[in-house]
Amino acid sequence: MTHSSSRITKAVIPAAGLGTRFLPATKATPKEMLPVVDKPAIQYVVEEAVAAGLSDVLMVTGRNKRPLEDHFDRNYELEEALTRKGDAGRLAKVQESSDLATMHYVRQGNPKGLGHAVLCAAPHVGDQPFAVLLGDDLIDPRDPLLSRMVEIQEREGGSVIALMEVDPKQIHLYGCAAVEPTGDPDVVKVHDLVEKPDTADAPSNYAIIGRYVLDPAVFGILRQTEPGRGGEIQLTDALQQLSVDEKVGGPVHGVVFKGRRYDTGDRGDYLRAIVRLACEREDLGPDFRAWLRSYVSEEM
């Protein structure tokens, strides 16, 4: 078992996907840059990592993903133009993304799945535990899931995954965990994992959502992991090995999340996420909610 008492500081964000469900919008624009109200989805994810104390962020990118790097870089021409106009509010918003964290980038040359994307981070991460955040899942900052996961990993060692109870009829869309309770009501011990099981074969209705805190032993397993479901190297398959053999990389625990999660992975949930977040904004919410009530009652 590998375990470090040092504070977890590194986060890995896989962002090499093609975003085919959002074509044609993603033909030339990375799906991670699609706006959720007035910020790209990827910025919410980086902000979540930073809020949990993870100031070193590695983004695993691919072709046509240069706008991700540009977004978290300085734009001196734009900043100068806003300064000349005296527009301090917008200037602060522009500078915010470039000041969030120490950003690094590596390309996943051949998109072989999430497990392969995580493996691309091995040289940067080294032998320390680290977090993985998927950009399709936005977690409300009022529900600090990642901070809780980091706390459990630092206490128990091994790896920690985020779980959410879903309708059993939907479990085939997710990785699924077989679990047993612990002394913490929101924490379970994971003893098996299955990637997108048939409903009849699912060991539970606990679905894996896009947050992980991983022991670096996962890299050694991923190097030996053969392509699984969908012909891709699945992170779930590597975690399954960790869950059944604690001597490799420690135990696997799950934090059961019951907070606010915004799924931007498909078009319908993406629109619902925008509506929900816009409704809750102090600057937009009152007028937007009034318009929405009127639209629903009069137009629908």
Side-chain angles (χ1 to χ4, degrees), residues 194-268:
V194 184
E195 178 66 18
K196 296 181 179 178
D198 292 335
T199 302
D201 299 327
S204 74
N205 67 327
Y206 283 104
I208 305 171
I209 58 175
R211 297 294 181 270
Y212 309 80
V213 179
L214 302 178
D215 187 279
V218 74
F219 293 132
I221 296 176
L222 285 169
R223 292 187 183 99
Q224 305 298 321
T225 299
E226 296 293 328
R229 196 173 186 93
E232 297 182 335
I233 297 174
Q234 298 288 350
L235 179 59
T236 302
D237 292 342
L239 289 170
Q240 191 273 339
Q241 292 190 48
L242 289 176
S243 71
V244 299
D245 187 356
E246 293 187 14
K247 293 181 292 184
V248 175
V252 177
H253 286 89
V255 170
V256 180
F257 183 62
K258 297 182 179 180
R260 287 156 284 202
R261 167 181 174 257
Y262 310 107
D263 183 358
T264 61
D266 69 37
R267 292 167 298 176

Side-chain angles (χ1 to χ4, degrees), residues 57-246:
V57 177
L58 175 70
M59 206 166 289
V60 183
T61 67
R63 292 184 61 196
N64 301 322
K65 297 287 185 167
R66 182 61 184 270
L68 293 171
E69 299 183 35
D70 291 341
H71 180 71
F72 292 101
D73 199 359
R74 297 292 297 273
N75 187 326
Y76 293 102
E77 295 83 358
L78 178 58
E79 291 177 28
E80 178 62 25
L82 292 171
T83 300
R84 288 197 304 268
K85 292 181 179 180
D87 195 338
R90 288 190 174 88
L91 177 62
K93 290 182 178 180
V94 168
Q95 292 176 331
E96 181 182 16
S97 59
S98 58
D99 295 336
L100 271 175
T102 302
M103 301 295 297
H104 308 271
Y105 304 90
V106 64
R107 281 202 173 192
Q108 183 186 14
N110 191 357
K112 299 178 181 178
L114 177 57
H116 181 259
V118 171
L119 187 56
C120 290
H124 181 78
V125 168
D127 61 355
Q128 297 296 312
F130 63 104
V132 175
L133 299 87
L134 304 189
D136 287 347
D137 284 327
L138 305 186
I139 304 299
D140 195 293
R142 293 168 293 184
D143 302 310
L145 169 62
L146 188 59
S147 297
R148 177 61 169 159
M149 295 173 67
V150 168
E151 175 190 345
I152 297 301
Q153 196 285 331
E154 292 179 341
R155 188 185 76 190
E156 303 289 345
S159 297
V160 181
I161 62 177
L163 300 174
M164 180 181 68
E165 290 189 82
V166 301
D167 186 323
K169 295 178 181 178
Q170 300 297 312
I171 196 64
H172 69 281
L173 300 173
Y174 299 88
C176 176
V179 304
E180 59 188 51
T182 69
D184 295 304
D186 64 331
V187 179
V188 293
K189 179 78 174 293
V190 178
H191 56 79
D192 198 9
L193 292 160
V194 184
E195 178 66 18
K196 296 181 179 178
D198 292 335
T199 302
D201 299 327
S204 74
N205 67 327
Y206 283 104
I208 305 171
I209 58 175
R211 297 294 181 270
Y212 309 80
V213 179
L214 302 178
D215 187 279
V218 74
F219 293 132
I221 296 176
L222 285 169
R223 292 187 183 99
Q224 305 298 321
T225 299
E226 296 293 328
R229 196 173 186 93
E232 297 182 335
I233 297 174
Q234 298 288 350
L235 179 59
T236 302
D237 292 342
L239 289 170
Q240 191 273 339
Q241 292 190 48
L242 289 176
S243 71
V244 299
D245 187 356
E246 293 187 14

